[in-house]
Amino acid sequence: MAHLAKHYGPVFLLATLIGHGQPLSAHDQGQTLWIEAERPSRSTMIRHPQWYDRVKTDQLSGGDWLSHFSDDRPGTAEYNLDIPEAGRYAFWLRANPVQTTLDYRIDDNEWQTVDFSQADQQVNVADDDKPDLRFVAWVRLDDLELDAGRHILAVRSRSALHHHGAIDAFVLTTEAFVPRGLDRPGASDLTVFGGAGTWPFRPERDTFRDDALLDLRSLNEEVAGQNGFVRRTEDGNGFVLGDGSPVRFWAVTSYVQRQGDLDTVKHHARFLAKRGVNMVRYHGHLEPKPKDTPEASLSDPDPKELDQAWKLVAGMKDAGIYTTLSPYWASNFKQVPARFGLEGWPEDQSPQGLLFFNPTLQQAYKAWLRKLLTTPNPYTGIPLAEDPALAIIQLQNEDSMLFWTMQSVKGRQLELLGKQFGSWLVAKYGSLDAALRAWKGDRMPEDDFDRGVVGIHIVWEWTQSRSGGRKARLDDQLQFFGETMYGFNQEIARYLREDLGCRQLINAGNWKTADPIRLEDVERWSYTANDIIAVNRYYSPVHLGPDRGWRINAGDRFANTSALLDPRSLPTNIKQVSGFPTMLTETRWVPPLSYQAEAPFLASVYSALTGIDGFVWFSTGESEWSIEDRADWNAASRKKWEIATPMVLGQFPAAALIYRLGYVTEGEPVVVEHRPLDDLWQREPPIIAEDPSYDPNRDLGDSARRVEPTGPGAVDPLAFLAGPVVVSYDSDPSRSEVADLDALIARDRQRVGSVTGQVVLNFGQGLCGLNAPKAQGVVGFLDRVETFSLRDVTISSKNPYGAVLAVSLDGEPLATSRSILVQIGTEALPTGWTTHETTFTTDGGRREVEGFEIVETGRMPWAITRADASIRVRNPALTSAVVLDSNGVPVRSLDVTTEDGALDVALPPDALYVVLQAD
């Protein structure tokens, strides 16, 4: 990133493709048949009125069911179906799921046995409420492709126990219907997800079969750290492995170490490596937990956390996955008894901010690190300090002296900080009286110069425009705070290097400030005491609800806005510090947002374009796992921070290939800013700043408040989408340079092109196109454009929203590759996810939002919108297309057309991956 970009190439290569939409045709009204089972056209069922049929008829559709109970033989029934219109019909059955064997068939086709393992909404219908055999539940069967006209549906009851069975109703529908008790399709204005236009995501546990065509494990080293420690490149801007090979980290924060033993961690490691992951982040809490260990002192780290950290590093390294260690988060430190020695600190208040200046906490923190890093890892025998599989040590997570939480520091701790401020002022001015003169006499009631204590202004003061002596005092306080954080970061690095013998790279922190214009550069400068700059940032549209910080509930309201329509909110919009690698150490597109398929696409493309060196998704392993069944996927519909879903983790492979293998060219910087340190202390506005992120757990209000740079030479924030934006501190501002952004940003057409000519974002229509030699595709509201014609690929889709990526698997350009991954994304929500449109206000009534209210959060399995897309690849070598399951294993071939040196194929509606191959 050393040279300012001067040549832009074919920037608007895709502009004509992402700017001329076609009007949408109206969909035909859905068709639904609701069939009462007690009204067959033919039946051999034998009923049992004395017991089996004694049920609560008000719990049954139509007030009855068709039952069979016989010692002698199975029972059958047939139903005449008059299908009004040819098409694909979702097929639902409400029947007794308990110890029942039911078969069904359409016309003369083979009998199919009903799988009741996914039955839902089970109800005891026994009139005496006894928990015997008399239940009903809904279950979805395989979709049916039916021609218009008469068809015969037959059912057969043949259970081992008296051949018993009972059927309440059948539903065949082309509507987006999911059963809700006895409610029928179209009975309300609710939108229910999981009907005929979707397919259920039911992944098998990955056994890592040799015949898998999609397995990215080979991208990793055989063992993480086999060639030595990860280090920085010569210019400091990136990472290299021990053998000098350049590397980017496609990573996840994982909690698998909490869920199982070492074998469980190793399985998950192999699972992640297969999907392109080469780093995990340990997000831990080393502080002692007095409720768990009442005898522990402040210097005693939590033994459970130590074990989990050791286990994670050991379990991941054999899959070639490195670990970032983040051992402390002040916000999680919930128990601070007086015996810990933090004078005057409330026992139930997290000690946010104290680690930077309190020597008692600092000494305890060092003791935690010593125990963690120098004790031989019981799972490997090697102390973490000596293990190159541990690549990065992050000193602390999400804490800063420049954030609002600093205002909770009061009493003896604030006085301690005031005394340190006094010593700093004496060093700068010679005396406190000299400092007071520099401040033109500006005083605070807390000033006690005789004791060397200087009052501390609250953070809010820095967010305001001040002048005269008050400004001079605030400037000094900001410099003192910034240097205090820098000094802490510098001392811990010395301790790790010299006292503990650690050779890992060090990152100070990852947090934000109370004001991104006035304070953010001070925060970033304080990180330059160490090796890596990191940021935590999420894309998080408005979500209102009592548990919005961690869970999604019925009754919550939310805005469902794609980041493609709000590109200034992309987490990758980072002002990077020249000479340092940059990492996003926590990020995701936060539910209940349904537009998730864009997340891996945009993350990989824009991180690669702008030179971000590590992208860490948050998080995996938080669900209630069943180790034997689908252990690696999120199986909880209300989790807010899990990324192990089909539209995030399921979209990793193509994104990881693009990002890790450099399939998108890193651009030359479009903005290079040089800032003297005095400008930072005086809170002078930068020429460009990141938009603030939003944290529902700590920020005030309901959304981030966007602010605009207003200083001389202010740069359009859309520049972050055009190429790298970098800053140098303690440097001459006359050296700042800005590319000709008018050639890249067309606000009138709502488009931004990359400096490399490979990426175009149309934020008016919500579309992003990628056009690189080895990776091409498009994401967003696809049916707004009839056809996307790229360099070697043409994509057509009728999906209202989705993503299609073609990526080389053999490292060759798509035009000559003999193996190409086509990855498909749409929308995925829990089955039965139900919402209705609503309007609500946020931020104390200041903003009105058109959004949705959640009626039901749904249940597993994930229901995925069926893809309706085709792709053409201009490559004469390609001859076949194979559909893969969620584990990358071939399941069937697709019909293809090969002519004029191209392969054409209709993409499967019910799969995430297709591999195009040459003979």
Side-chain angles (χ1 to χ4, degrees):
M1 296 186 291
H3 303 289
L4 190 70
K6 300 293 186 183
H7 303 289
Y8 309 126
V11 170
F12 289 106
L13 180 62
L14 304 185
T16 57
L17 309 176
I18 308 180
H20 299 87
Q22 299 293 324
L24 305 181
S25 60
H27 294 289
D28 293 334
Q29 185 174 357
Q31 303 290 337
T32 298
L33 284 79
W34 185 291
I35 303 153
E36 294 294 346
E38 64 270 18
R39 302 172 190 170
S41 56
R42 294 177 56 193
S43 175
T44 64
M45 298 284 199
I46 300 173
R47 305 189 69 163
H48 191 292
Q50 290 79 21
W51 170 68
Y52 197 78
D53 272 352
R54 296 187 64 174
V55 292
K56 302 172 185 175
T57 57
D58 63 339
Q59 297 291 319
L60 299 174
S61 174
D64 199 0
W65 66 2
L66 179 64
S67 66
H68 179 71
F69 198 95
S70 170
D71 292 331
D72 301 325
R73 56 181 174 78
T76 61
E78 292 183 356
Y79 301 84
N80 294 328
L81 306 180
D82 291 316
I83 302 300
E85 183 177 296
R88 174 177 287 271
Y89 285 76
F91 187 18
W92 293 88
L93 165 68
R94 194 171 194 243
N96 188 343
V98 179
Q99 301 182 41
T100 302
T101 302
L102 280 180
D103 306 315
Y104 71 96
R105 71 180 181 187
I106 298 292
D107 300 327
D108 294 327
N109 294 311
E110 296 292 326
W111 287 100
Q112 305 291 324
T113 300
V114 175
D115 178 6
F116 282 108
S117 66
Q118 299 294 324
D120 191 49
Q121 301 180 47
Q122 183 166 298
V123 176
N124 184 344
V125 293
D127 66 348
D128 54 8
D129 291 320
K130 290 184 177 180
D132 44 46
L133 294 178
R134 292 168 291 172
F135 289 81
V136 292
W138 282 104
V139 63
R140 183 172 177 177
L141 309 179
D142 290 339
D143 291 358
L144 300 175
E145 288 283 359
L146 298 174
D147 295 330
R150 175 65 60 89
H151 296 270
I152 303 298
L153 167 63
V155 293
R156 179 173 64 189
S157 178
R158 57 177 183 89
S159 307
L161 183 62
H162 300 288
H163 304 288
H164 86 91
I167 312 162
D168 183 29
F170 306 93
V171 175
L172 285 88
T173 181
T174 61
E175 296 185 36
F177 164 73
V178 173
R180 300 175 67 243
L182 300 180
D183 289 352
R184 300 196 175 206
S188 70
D189 62 350
L190 302 180
T191 299
V192 185
F193 199 82
T198 66
W199 59 280
F201 183 69
R202 296 190 175 109
E204 297 294 329
R205 179 172 169 81
D206 201 335
T207 57
F208 314 117
R209 287 169 46 172
D210 291 339
D211 60 341
L213 293 181
L214 180 57
D215 189 343
L216 305 186
R217 169 63 178 89
S218 62
L219 296 183
N220 295 357
E221 297 167 292
E222 185 175 343
V223 176
Q226 65 187 34
N227 296 307
F229 286 86
V230 174
R231 60 185 190 274
R232 301 198 306 180
T233 56
E234 288 188 10
D235 66 1
N237 286 316
F239 297 122
V240 294
L241 298 176
D243 62 2
S245 303
V247 64
R248 288 173 175 160
F249 292 111
W250 187 257
V252 299
T253 294
S254 179
Y255 292 98
V256 63
Q257 68 276 7
R258 297 181 181 178
Q259 305 293 340
D261 58 14
L262 183 62
D263 286 341
T264 300
V265 178
K266 287 184 174 182
H267 172 90
H268 194 54
R270 180 67 179 86
F271 175 89
L272 293 174
K274 184 174 184 176
R275 288 148 181 85
V277 171
N278 61 339
M279 176 174 279
V280 295
R281 174 172 172 262
Y282 166 83
H283 177 38
H285 317 293
L286 285 186
E287 71 279 356
K289 315 296 189 300
K291 289 183 180 178
D292 298 332
T293 52
E295 72 286 355
S297 71
L298 180 60
S299 295
D300 294 326
D302 184 339
K304 291 182 181 178
E305 291 285 338
L306 292 173
D307 182 74
Q308 289 169 11
W310 292 330
K311 187 196 310 178
L312 184 66
V313 175
M316 291 289 161
K317 67 185 298 182
D318 285 344
I321 296 178
Y322 287 88
T323 300
T324 288
L325 193 70
S326 182
Y328 177 72
W329 184 28
S331 182
N332 190 75
F333 198 167
K334 303 294 187 183
Q335 306 164 43
V336 191
R339 61 184 174 82
F340 278 4
L342 303 181
E343 294 182 82
W345 193 260
E347 183 166 341
D348 59 350
Q349 180 177 310
S350 298
Q352 295 183 85
L354 264 63
L355 185 62
F356 299 107
F357 69 89
N358 183 286
T360 300
L361 183 56
Q362 289 173 352
Q363 286 304 115
Y365 172 78
K366 287 180 177 180
W368 305 340
L369 293 181
R370 179 178 290 276
K371 184 77 170 180
L372 174 68
L373 296 168
T374 64
T375 303
N377 185 340
Y379 299 99
T380 66
I382 307 170
L384 293 185
E386 300 174 16
D387 192 344
L390 175 60
I392 298 169
I393 299 172
Q394 185 175 79
L395 301 187
Q396 57 83 24
N397 179 70
E398 293 188 353
D399 197 13
S400 170
M401 295 178 73
L402 310 181
F403 189 62
W404 300 110
T405 47
M406 192 64 191
Q407 297 183 167
S408 66
V409 177
K410 299 175 181 177
R412 295 293 295 276
Q413 297 303 317
L414 190 61
E415 185 178 290
L416 170 64
L417 183 61
K419 196 157 192 175
Q420 294 177 9
F421 187 26
S423 297
W424 183 90
L425 289 167
V426 169
K428 179 174 181 177
Y429 291 104
S431 69
L432 293 182
D433 287 339
L436 189 61
R437 287 194 295 273
W439 300 343
K440 301 178 181 179
D442 189 80
R443 286 184 175 272
M444 290 181 66
E446 293 80 8
D447 290 341
D448 188 346
F449 287 4
D450 291 339
R451 295 175 55 232
V453 177
V454 179
I456 300 292
H457 278 290
I458 61 173
V459 170
W460 176 83
E461 284 284 347
W462 283 324
T463 70
Q464 306 302 303
S465 296
R466 296 289 186 246
S467 59
R470 175 59 55 87
K471 181 182 184 305
R473 180 171 183 150
L474 288 170
D475 293 349
D476 275 343
Q477 183 181 312
L478 180 56
Q479 182 179 356
F480 163 65
F481 272 37
E483 291 182 358
T484 297
M485 292 193 297
Y486 184 101
F488 168 78
N489 297 333
Q490 188 177 53
E491 164 56 20
I492 298 302
R494 184 212 61 78
Y495 176 74
L496 290 170
R497 297 269 186 259
E498 298 178 11
D499 293 13
L500 304 188
C502 294
R503 295 169 59 191
Q504 286 81 8
L505 295 175
I506 299 170
N507 162 237
N510 51 17
W511 198 215
K512 60 181 183 176
T513 67
D515 190 322
I517 302 294
R518 295 179 169 96
L519 302 176
E520 209 88 335
D521 276 320
V522 179
E523 177 80 11
R524 296 284 167 79
W525 171 82
S526 76
Y527 298 167
T528 62
N530 305 121
D531 302 307
I532 299 167
I533 307 299
V535 182
N536 284 6
R537 182 173 297 144
Y538 295 83
Y539 177 63
S540 184
V542 172
H543 171 207
L544 304 183
D547 302 319
R548 66 179 178 177
W550 62 285
R551 190 172 69 175
I552 300 165
N553 297 321
D556 289 0
R557 291 161 293 162
F558 69 100
N560 199 32
T561 305
S562 163
L564 292 160
L565 300 171
D566 185 20
R568 284 181 54 177
S569 295
L570 277 180
T572 51
N573 294 351
I574 299 174
K575 185 163 67 172
Q576 302 177 60
V577 181
S578 181
F580 293 84
T582 300
M583 296 183 69
L584 261 166
T585 47
E586 284 186 25
T587 189
R588 79 154 303 181
W589 272 237
V590 183
L593 176 75
S594 71
Y595 299 125
Q596 299 284 328
E598 68 195 39
F601 186 115
L602 297 176
S604 64
V605 168
Y606 280 103
S607 293
L609 168 67
T610 60
I612 293 171
D613 304 287
F615 197 95
V616 188
W617 297 87
F618 194 91
S619 61
T620 67
E622 289 190 278
S623 293
E624 298 78 7
W625 283 21
S626 167
I627 298 303
E628 293 75 28
D629 184 25
R630 308 183 184 106
D632 299 293
W633 295 96
N634 177 17
S637 63
R638 299 170 72 185
K639 291 283 187 178
K640 186 160 181 174
W641 305 107
E642 270 270 12
I643 55 92
T645 66
M647 289 306 131
V648 183
L649 182 60
Q651 301 291 302
F652 268 22
L657 284 165
I658 289 169
Y659 179 64
R660 292 183 57 186
L661 297 184
Y663 284 180
V664 170
T665 302
E666 180 177 342
E668 293 292 332
V670 296
V671 179
V672 176
E673 182 178 22
H674 291 265
R675 303 208 69 193
L677 293 182
D678 282 346
D679 276 8
L680 272 59
W681 318 142
Q682 295 169 21
R683 290 166 290 137
E684 294 293 333
I687 62 173
I688 187 168
E690 301 157 11
D691 282 310
S693 61
Y694 177 72
D695 177 1
N697 293 300
R698 277 168 287 176
D699 282 329
L700 298 175
D702 304 312
S703 59
R705 297 186 183 181
R706 184 165 288 167
V707 291
E708 305 290 343
T710 57
V715 176
D716 190 333
L718 290 178
F720 287 110
L721 301 161
V725 173
V726 300
V727 62
S728 291
Y729 298 126
D730 199 13
S731 189
D732 182 357
S734 67
R735 297 174 57 198
S736 297
E737 294 184 83
V738 180
D740 179 10
L741 294 176
D742 289 341
L744 303 169
I745 301 170
R747 279 194 170 270
D748 57 338
R749 290 180 290 172
Q750 298 182 292
R751 299 189 196 112
V752 182
S754 73
V755 71
T756 62
Q758 294 180 346
V759 187
V760 171
L761 174 67
N762 182 322
F763 57 92
Q765 289 191 293
L767 290 162
C768 182
L770 169 63
N771 203 19
K774 298 178 184 179
Q776 295 164 36
V778 65
V779 64
F781 300 94
L782 301 183
D783 66 353
R784 296 180 178 181
V785 173
E786 184 173 317
T787 300
F788 301 91
S789 296
L790 308 172
R791 182 193 304 253
D792 307 299
V793 170
T794 300
I795 297 168
S796 298
S797 176
K798 296 180 182 178
N799 286 105
Y801 175 85
V804 180
L805 266 174
V807 179
S808 172
L809 286 172
D810 58 11
E812 296 298 317
L814 295 179
T816 56
S817 173
R818 300 180 66 83
S819 183
I820 295 173
L821 169 65
V822 179
Q823 185 170 280
I824 309 149
T826 54
E827 288 184 87
L829 289 166
T831 299
W833 172 269
T834 306
T835 61
H836 68 78
E837 295 183 2
T838 189
T839 300
F840 56 93
T841 60
T842 66
D843 300 311
R846 290 189 296 273
R847 185 159 71 101
E848 187 172 87
V849 176
E850 292 184 2
F852 300 87
E853 181 173 338
I854 301 169
V855 178
E856 290 188 13
T857 57
R859 56 199 176 275
M860 293 295 99
W862 294 97
I864 301 177
T865 299
R866 296 171 67 83
D868 185 359
S870 62
I871 190 168
R872 182 176 215 210
V873 181
R874 289 173 286 282
N875 177 334
L878 300 176
T879 58
S880 64
V882 181
V883 179
L884 311 183
D885 67 11
S886 62
N887 295 319
V889 175
V891 292
R892 66 181 186 274
S893 296
L894 295 173
D895 293 333
V896 302
T897 300
T898 55
E899 60 182 8
D900 299 328
L903 180 145
D904 290 272
V905 62
L907 297 175
D910 55 354
L912 303 178
Y913 316 118
V914 172
V915 170
L916 310 182
Q917 295 178 305
D919 288 337

